[in-house]
Amino acid sequence: QVQLVESGGGSVQAGGSLRLSCAAYGSVESLTWMGWFRQAPGKEREGLASIAIDGGSTYYASSVKGRFTISQDNAKNTLYLQMNMLTPEDTAIYYCAADFGWRSDNRYALIRPEVFGYWGQGTQVTVSS
């Protein structure tokens, strides 16, 4: 129904920046929420940012607020995550996610991974000191 393809991961030095992209295919016109998550070895999947597609309201985890920016280009059906001031603690596999849920469901704004039904394959981000 929806396929998500991520790109933009790689290696960067501490203090640097990366921009991740997530291209959506399929029934993208019906999506209501999208988000970015990451998972480091031995840790739980962490919600980073979410966006309400209708209206563009954004929500961030405290760990990335002020450094990361989620945005969308509806004409290109693409979601972005601009990551600045990266540190080695940001090293993880980063995932794009999407769903068709209620706009008013606050779990999406809380970036809960369990409510997102569609996921990308993940892209590795490695930050070296």
Side-chain angles (χ1 to χ4, degrees):
Q1 190 171 12
V2 173
Q3 298 82 46
L4 305 173
V5 181
E6 298 154 337
S7 61
S11 298
V12 65
Q13 293 182 344
S17 299
L18 282 174
R19 188 180 75 161
L20 305 182
S21 299
C22 174
Y25 304 89
S27 302
V28 296
E29 71 282 354
S30 299
L31 290 172
T32 51
W33 287 91
M34 296 189 75
W36 286 100
F37 301 78
R38 69 185 180 191
Q39 188 164 21
K43 296 185 178 180
E44 295 183 349
R45 187 161 298 188
E46 177 187 12
L48 304 176
S50 63
I51 184 167
I53 296 173
D54 181 13
S57 298
T58 57
Y59 305 88
Y60 295 93
S62 60
S63 60
V64 304
K65 190 174 183 179
R67 297 191 299 128
F68 291 11
T69 302
I70 188 172
S71 62
Q72 62 181 337
D73 185 339
N74 289 332
K76 298 176 65 175
N77 294 324
T78 301
L79 183 75
Y80 301 99
L81 184 67
Q82 178 67 47
M83 305 186 294
N84 299 324
M85 297 180 288
L86 288 164
T87 75
E89 289 69 44
D90 295 315
T91 296
I93 300 175
Y94 283 69
Y95 298 90
C96 172
D99 204 62
F100 303 98
W102 294 106
R103 172 63 178 84
S104 58
D105 190 336
N106 78 124
R107 294 179 294 176
Y108 295 100
L110 294 172
I111 327 173
R112 301 280 187 83
E114 62 268 24
V115 300
F116 288 85
Y118 298 88
W119 294 82
Q121 79 284 0
T123 185
Q124 177 71 47
V125 171
T126 302
V127 184
S128 60
S129 60

